[in-house]
Amino acid sequence: MVTDLLRNNAVAIEQELEWFSSVVDARMRLHFGHECPCSDIRELTPPEHDEEDSMYGSFISHYELSFEERLVFIMSLVPHIRPRLLDVFLTEDSVSSREFTEFGGRGDGFSKGFVPTGETVLFLLAGEDLEKRFQYYYLFDQEHFFFGHRILSLEDPPPNSTELSGFLTPSREVIDLVTTGRVREPAFGAEFPARRLSTEMAWDDLVLDPHTMESVLEIKAWIEYGQILLDDLGMGRKIKPGYRSLFHGPPGTGKTLTASLLGKETGRDVYRIDLSMVVSKYVGETEKNLEKVFRAAEHKNWIIFFDEADALFGKRTGVSDANDRYANQVVSFLLQRVEDYAGVVILASNLRSNLDEAFTRRFQSIIHFPMPRPADRYRLWKGSFSDKTGFAGDVNLMETASRYELSGGAIMNVVRYATLMAVKRGSMTITLQDIQEGVRKELQKEGRAA
């Protein structure tokens, strides 16, 4: 099945490249006054693709690409799949011994190939016809779906260059989609400071206070049915898209696990922002770093998760110096960006009071994750040990749950320690001493006596 998809994509793109090559050849012939089989490039009809046969054909059909839009799209792909088709634009003017400025484009600084720019697009579509050139400016409007859906981008031009001299670049996701049919997970790094959260646990493993679970289920309901409210019921004119929630409570009470399971249960990817790579002391850098994640997340229905959100969304301060003013600008930017995101954003904090009230007023829900009660702690103890281990006769998990107030995360640490000690002894039996020593270690970390 995968092989068929790749083959069909290759066939469709090969046909598109042949059409593109014929258009480029015609434009060059018309431009230089050479004999040409057509008087207008629009006479060269693009190939028809069955949208059910290939992802490329499906993409063309879904967006109902016009002649010029198809030409722009395939041109953006050419450097990545058949760069030699653009070598013709490297031709030098025999009179000036320089490249033709009307072709636009330039090298990328790493290869010897030609990378198209906005100027290249206009030359191919309009030649020397100014009226047509102006007509096609709409292709670079930020409202055009090419840019609104992050299909293409026109990179910032070099210093002192014209506006349309930036590289025409397709998104990596679109390249993946129309070639292999499979979008790769974004690579964690400076250009994408977020990691995907995943868990082997299931929804039934989630142990929460009943009131907390009720609020979490509201988020789940929004993910599953929110689009019906916005589209079918016409509420999109009255309420903003997306859902914003604050999870607050002590460490280890299930905030991160809940976010992970919400994604797993609803088929959404969950990405946790790495604040160490986002927050910067340099003016404007924090906003840029965060924007990379939000732009990547647009139109993908990701759940964005900010752990220890106080570092970004803390209370604004009175302005006493430039640092205070910049910090407040960052908070204001983040407030607007989070509010504009059409997906689900979850902020996690140990203390609700640490967050700026401007954020909390705009949240659809504020959910408290309290320390688990004895009955919940018993469920956590009982469900955390391996089915392949047993307990010594003096182990009473109900008594242990009642005696020690521990978070779910702390209980898992004790389970890990006690099981490891049993394995070290060559035994599959968990002893009371193993559990008590593990508890002592956890309480000691928290500065409490066992």
Side-chain angles (χ1 to χ4, degrees):
M1 184 68 179
V2 174
T3 303
D4 289 343
L5 177 62
L6 292 176
R7 183 183 301 112
N8 292 343
N9 282 344
V11 169
I13 293 176
E14 192 68 62
Q15 294 171 348
E16 201 82 356
L17 290 173
E18 289 178 6
W19 168 66
F20 172 77
S21 182
S22 68
V23 172
V24 171
D25 180 67
R27 171 54 66 206
M28 298 298 275
R29 288 176 178 274
L30 292 170
H31 181 67
F32 290 113
H34 297 162
E35 184 177 345
C36 183
C38 64
S39 58
D40 190 309
I41 61 170
R42 281 184 165 275
E43 297 174 23
L44 301 172
T45 307
E48 294 185 5
H49 304 298
D50 190 329
E51 62 179 291
E52 296 182 2
D53 283 347
S54 68
M55 288 301 298
Y56 192 88
S58 176
F59 180 89
I60 297 295
S61 175
H62 174 77
Y63 282 103
E64 299 180 344
L65 298 189
S66 64
F67 178 94
E68 56 268 19
E69 288 167 343
R70 281 182 68 167
L71 207 53
V72 172
F73 182 63
I74 189 62
M75 176 183 276
S76 74
L77 293 178
V78 166
H80 305 272
I81 56 179
R82 191 66 61 76
R84 62 180 174 80
L85 294 185
L86 297 173
D87 286 353
V88 64
F89 291 115
L90 295 173
T91 305
E92 289 187 352
D93 188 333
S94 59
V95 176
S96 65
S97 298
R98 297 170 55 188
E99 296 176 354
F100 287 89
T101 55
E102 60 264 41
F103 296 168
R106 49 196 169 88
D108 58 9
F110 300 99
S111 68
K112 295 181 180 179
F114 181 93
V115 182
T117 63
E119 290 288 351
T120 315
V121 169
L122 293 179
F123 170 76
L124 189 60
L125 290 172
E128 295 282 288
D129 190 323
L130 275 181
E131 183 179 349
K132 285 185 178 179
R133 179 185 174 93
F134 300 154
Q135 175 186 337
Y136 294 128
Y137 276 176
Y138 82 94
L139 292 166
F140 305 106
D141 289 345
Q142 290 305 305
E143 291 76 21
H144 193 285
F145 65 83
F146 273 162
F147 303 97
H149 291 192
R150 293 197 73 245
I151 295 169
L152 303 176
S153 63
L154 192 63
E155 296 184 5
D156 292 337
N160 303 318
S161 297
T162 59
E163 181 183 3
L164 296 180
S165 60
F167 287 142
L168 182 69
T169 308
S171 70
R172 196 194 73 176
E173 293 89 345
V174 167
I175 297 175
D176 286 348
L177 183 66
V178 300
T179 55
T180 67
R182 181 181 64 86
V183 178
R184 290 169 290 169
E185 182 179 331
F188 171 76
E191 290 304 308
F192 186 76
R195 296 181 188 271
R196 190 166 72 89
L197 287 179
S198 61
T199 179
E200 295 299 317
M201 298 181 73
W203 189 260
D204 291 340
D205 296 322
L206 192 59
V207 178
L208 297 176
D209 174 87
H211 295 294
T212 302
M213 177 60 82
E214 183 180 348
S215 297
V216 169
L217 289 174
E218 180 185 330
I219 303 177
K220 183 171 178 285
W222 173 265
I223 295 173
E224 295 174 337
Y225 306 110
Q227 212 58 46
I228 296 176
L229 266 68
L230 296 174
D231 297 339
D232 298 356
L233 302 183
M235 295 293 289
R237 297 181 294 105
K238 302 177 181 179
I239 60 177
K240 281 182 172 289
Y243 193 101
R244 291 155 289 282
S245 182
L246 169 65
F247 291 1
H248 67 100
T253 50
K255 299 185 290 294
T256 301
L257 177 60
T258 298
S260 300
L261 286 173
L262 274 171
K264 185 175 183 178
E265 187 73 5
T266 59
R268 306 290 177 92
D269 286 338
V270 183
Y271 280 90
R272 175 167 55 190
I273 308 296
D274 188 322
L275 297 183
S276 67
M277 298 188 70
V278 170
V279 179
S280 173
K281 64 182 179 180
Y282 298 106
V283 174
E285 286 302 308
T286 297
E287 297 95 312
K288 287 182 182 178
N289 294 337
L290 188 63
E291 182 67 16
K292 293 173 184 175
V293 179
F294 276 111
R295 284 184 61 81
E298 285 173 347
H299 310 293
K300 296 188 183 68
N301 293 319
W302 289 350
I303 297 173
I304 297 181
F305 181 69
F306 289 90
D307 200 5
E308 300 180 359
D310 323 48
L312 276 176
F313 301 89
K315 289 183 175 180
R316 281 174 283 193
T317 61
V319 177
S320 60
D321 57 27
N323 288 335
D324 289 339
R325 184 163 53 252
Y326 170 56
N328 289 346
Q329 288 174 356
V330 171
V331 173
S332 297
F333 167 81
L334 296 176
L335 173 62
Q336 187 62 52
R337 199 59 184 90
V338 167
E339 195 169 18
D340 289 342
Y341 181 57
V344 173
V345 178
I346 297 173
L347 276 61
S349 173
N350 293 341
L351 292 173
R352 172 181 174 175
S353 58
N354 288 348
L355 273 293
D356 193 304
E357 291 183 4
F359 285 103
T360 57
R361 285 198 304 270
R362 290 169 169 82
F363 288 171
Q364 276 66 52
S365 63
I366 298 177
I367 305 176
H368 182 221
F369 284 70
M371 291 290 286
R373 299 169 303 175
D376 293 329
R377 294 199 294 270
Y378 175 66
R379 287 179 59 198
L380 289 165
W381 281 111
K382 188 176 180 181
S384 298
F385 284 98
S386 169
D387 294 337
K388 297 180 180 180
T389 59
F391 299 100
D394 57 351
V395 173
N396 185 327
L397 292 182
M398 179 65 79
E399 181 180 331
T400 301
S402 299
R403 181 177 179 183
Y404 301 111
E405 185 183 25
L406 295 172
S407 68
I411 290 172
M412 280 305 306
N413 287 339
V414 176
V415 169
R416 180 185 291 109
Y417 172 82
T419 305
L420 181 62
M421 292 302 101
V423 171
K424 182 181 177 182
R425 290 193 304 271
S427 170
M428 289 293 103
T429 301
I430 308 297
T431 68
L432 180 60
Q433 182 180 353
D434 294 332
I435 294 175
Q436 288 179 335
E437 179 61 17
V439 169
R440 185 190 68 78
K441 289 176 177 293
E442 287 304 304
L443 293 178
Q444 190 177 48
K445 285 194 297 185
E446 299 174 13
R448 294 192 286 162

